[in-house]
Amino acid sequence: MTIKSVPINTVTPEPVQRFWRLDERLEAVLALVHTGIHADIGSDHAKLPLRLIQSGRARRCIVVELNPGPLALARRNVARAGLTDHIEIRAGDGFAPLHPAEADSASITGMGAGTIAGILRRAQVGVLPPTLVLQPNDNPAPIRVWAQESGYHLTDERLIDGYWPYPVLRLVRQSGPDPAYSGLPLAAALRYGPHLLREAGPLLAARIRADVLRLTPLAAPGRTAQLELNAAQDALKVIEP
Ligand SMILES: C[S@@+](CC[C@H](N)C(=O)[O-])C[C@H]1O[C@@H](n2cnc3c(N)ncnc32)[C@H](O)[C@@H]1O
């Protein structure tokens, strides 16, 4: 009996047209990117870059991953989609694997806001692209503070319904004070988002009311909860004038 040798670890390319399903938060991120070269930091499965290329919203993508498991998954998915010519995968921490001015835009999604702000703060001079789309899993205030200190304006914000409300922020490098905050109470705008406050959608309104209820029994002069309650009450005045 002859036994055919079967190569192991070969990847069968799939048609490029295969539809990579994104959840609603990543669909929202996708809709805010339209670019030449896009870097997705902490990509894991690489679904966002795959859809960016397939939908023509990016010409080329760079995937950056810190951990070996997600790195292997990204390599596998990109190879199966037949998109290795369009999506390059690099191992590393945050923006460290990127060269200065290499990317036109970048995304960081599915992490805590403090982690995302830390990755942005650690980026070497000149490496951060002019457009950033960020989707933290919690209160995005550290990212909004970083943007104010670092010359990025908040040009778009979304709040996406999901396991919990997912904020999505689009930042563009621009000089001068960010006009998005003008006329708004600053602590409330940093906590809840200037565009989201002006929009006054039901998801944000529910969140602010829940914060007021939660913080009222905890608040006392000198406590952090008092400052947070003040911000929530100021936010309520903006959305319910
Ligand atoms: C929770 S997953 C989110 C995956 C994907 N971005 C999403 O939104 O579905 C976070 C990923 O970021 C990677 N990661 C965490 N810190 C990183 C860093 N400093 N640099 C690169 N990747 C990082 C983790 O290995 C993990 O794969």
Side-chain angles (χ1 to χ4, degrees):
M1 185 176 72
T2 54
I3 300 173
K4 275 193 189 164
S5 74
V6 179
I8 51 170
N9 288 336
T10 50
V11 175
T12 311
E14 295 181 355
V16 173
Q17 289 76 14
R18 173 182 166 161
F19 180 76
W20 286 87
R21 182 171 290 281
L22 299 182
D23 55 24
E24 284 188 37
R25 77 193 161 87
L26 287 183
E27 281 289 350
V29 173
L30 180 84
L32 293 178
V33 179
H34 207 172
T35 191
I37 300 179
H38 183 84
D40 189 36
I41 311 295
S43 192
D44 193 353
H45 36 69
K47 287 180 186 173
L48 178 65
L50 285 163
R51 278 288 300 282
L52 282 168
I53 296 297
Q54 290 176 336
S55 60
R57 301 190 73 84
R59 191 162 34 83
R60 205 166 78 77
C61 286
I62 301 165
V63 158
V64 176
E65 244 303 328
L66 184 62
N67 292 304
L71 191 69
L73 178 61
R75 285 195 203 288
R76 199 158 58 238
N77 285 345
V78 169
R80 286 176 62 201
L83 287 178
T84 50
D85 287 350
H86 294 80
I87 302 176
E88 188 187 336
I89 298 173
R90 298 182 189 170
D93 178 5
F95 287 88
L98 265 65
H99 306 295
E102 187 179 17
D104 303 304
S105 59
S107 47
I108 314 177
T109 67
M111 303 183 207
T115 303
I116 294 177
I119 290 174
L120 294 167
R121 284 186 201 284
R122 290 201 306 278
Q124 302 95 320
V125 177
V127 170
L128 280 184
T131 299
L132 300 167
V133 181
L134 308 167
Q135 181 270 300
N137 285 342
D138 54 5
N139 172 10
I143 296 173
R144 295 196 183 99
V145 169
W146 173 85
Q148 287 213 324
E149 294 168 353
S150 312
Y152 280 82
H153 288 187
L154 195 50
T155 60
D156 209 331
E157 283 178 310
R158 313 267 161 99
L159 199 56
I160 306 300
D161 204 1
Y163 186 73
W164 52 69
Y166 294 104
V168 179
L169 287 71
R170 184 172 186 273
L171 304 176
V172 175
R173 194 188 292 136
Q174 258 157 35
S175 55
D178 186 345
Y181 291 89
S182 109
L184 291 173
L186 184 61
L190 288 172
R191 169 71 181 86
Y192 296 103
H195 296 290
L196 296 173
L197 280 175
R198 288 201 177 87
E199 196 181 294
L203 216 50
L204 183 71
R207 161 137 290 198
I208 296 170
R209 286 192 201 104
D211 281 352
V212 171
L213 282 179
R214 178 177 58 81
L215 292 164
T216 298
L218 306 175
R223 280 194 174 178
T224 308
Q226 181 67 58
L227 299 175
E228 291 175 353
L229 178 61
N230 295 347
Q233 287 171 331
D234 284 348
L236 212 50
K237 284 182 210 147
V238 175
I239 63 166
E240 293 173 349

